Amino acid sequence: MGLVSGFRRMASGLLGHDDDIRSAEDAAAALDRGDYSKAIPFLEQLAAAGSTTGLNLLGLACLEGNGVPKDEARGVELLRAAAEAGDIDSKKVLGAKLLFDPNVPADLEAGMAMLTEAAEAGDAGSACAIGRACLDGRYCERDAEKAVRFLRLAAENGDNDGLVVLARAYETGEHVEQEPARALQYYREAAAAGSTHAMCALGDHHLRGEHVPHDAAEAFRWYEMAAEAGDPDGCYNAGLLLATDVCVVKVDERAIGYFQTSAECGHPEGMGSFGMVLEGHDRGVAHAMMSRARDRTADPDFAALMTERLEALEPQMTADELSLSEQNRASWAELDAEDETTA
C-alpha cells in the first residue's frame, strides 16, 4: 500500500474527528504533489500515538528517504513496531528485508515467519518470495513441496508468474528433479491464468520441438497471444515468425506492427528488426535503432547482424541522417541514465 492510499485509509477509518479527516486529506494531497511538509509531521504524531498505519507509513518514508533523511535503521525499527502490533503490510516489507536485504542484519527465522503470515493473509508477493526461497535453499531449508504450495498460493492471489518459477525449475532441474512434463503443466496453468512469460515459454517449446512435437503454427499461436497482451518478447517472436515465412500465411503488415510494438517497449531484437524495416524509409531512425539494438542485445549473432547492416547502411546516409541518428541515441542514453538514477 502506498503512502497516499494509507492516508486515505486513516481518514476513512482510523480517525474519528472531522478536523483530523481534513488534515489527513490535506496530507494526502501534499503527498500527491511531492510536498511532505504537512505529511511527515502528521505521520510522526500518529506513530508516537502507536498507530500501526502511522508506524508503517513513516517507516516506509524513512526507508525511501521521502520527506525525511533516508534512515534504514529507523525505518526497520518503525516497521518492526507496526509488525509486532499485527500490521500485515509491515510484516510483508520487514520480512523480505530480514530475509534478503544485505543492508539489514539477517534474521531468517523471523523473516520467514513474517512473510508466511503475509502470504497466508493473501499477499501474493510474499507467497512468491517464500516459494523462491524454498527452491533456492539459501534462506531456509530447501523444500520443493513447500515451494509448490506457496507458489500455487501466489498464483491463487494474482501472481501467475509464481507458477512460471516452478515451471522453470522443473524444466531445468535446478533445485528439483527435472520433470519436463510437469514443467509444461505449470506453464499451461500459468498461461491460462494470463502469464505472458508462460505463453512465450510454450511458444519456444513448440518452435524448438522440446518435449512437444515441433509445431510452428502452435508456437505462433502462443506468441501472438502474448503479443496481444502487450508482451515485448511475444511481439518480437510473433513478428519474426510472420516475417520469415515460418507460419502458413505471411502477413507483412502484422509483422511490422509487432516489431514496432516490441521496439517501443525497448526490446533489443525488436528494435533491430524494426530498424531493418525502416532502412528504405527513414535511414536516420533505422540507424539509431540498429545501433541501440547492437549495443543492448545479449545475442552475439544478432549483434553481428546489426553491425553488418550498419556498415552497409552508413555509406548511403547523408550528414543530416547521421546527425539524426546521433541525436536519437543521445536522447536514449539520457533516458537510460535517468532510469538508473531512479532504480
Side-chain angles (χ1 to χ4, degrees), residues 91-164:
K91 290 181 181 182
K92 171 179 68 176
V93 177
L94 184 57
K97 283 196 163 291
L98 294 176
L99 211 60
F100 306 120
D101 192 336
N103 298 314
V104 174
D107 188 336
L108 303 186
E109 184 177 350
M112 185 63 75
M114 289 182 186
L115 284 179
T116 300
E117 283 191 58
E120 291 176 346
D123 184 70
S126 296
C128 196
I130 293 172
R132 288 175 182 269
C134 290
L135 282 176
D136 184 90
R138 284 181 294 169
Y139 306 101
C140 62
E141 184 177 351
R142 185 170 292 160
D143 186 336
E145 187 175 325
K146 185 175 180 180
V148 170
R149 180 164 66 89
F150 275 96
L151 289 169
R152 279 196 171 280
L153 181 61
E156 289 168 8
N157 285 299
D159 187 345
N160 300 317
D161 284 334
L163 291 173
V164 176

Side-chain angles (χ1 to χ4, degrees), residues 258-282:
Y258 284 137
F259 285 148
Q260 181 174 358
T261 300
S262 63
E264 289 170 351
C265 293
H267 191 286
E269 290 76 22
M271 292 191 79
S273 298
F274 190 52
M276 287 189 284
V277 169
L278 292 177
E279 279 184 83
H281 306 281
D282 191 333

Side-chain angles (χ1 to χ4, degrees), residues 60-72:
L60 293 175
C62 289
L63 291 178
E64 297 165 5
N66 287 337
V68 292
K70 189 169 183 177
D71 188 336
E72 192 98 22

Side-chain angles (χ1 to χ4, degrees), residues 17-27:
H17 301 295
D18 288 344
D19 287 345
D20 289 333
I21 292 173
R22 284 195 294 270
S23 296
E25 290 297 329
D26 287 345

Side-chain angles (χ1 to χ4, degrees), residues 245-256:
D245 274 334
V246 174
C247 281
V248 176
V249 179
K250 179 180 178 182
V251 185
D252 289 329
E253 294 79 6
R254 290 172 68 197
I256 292 169

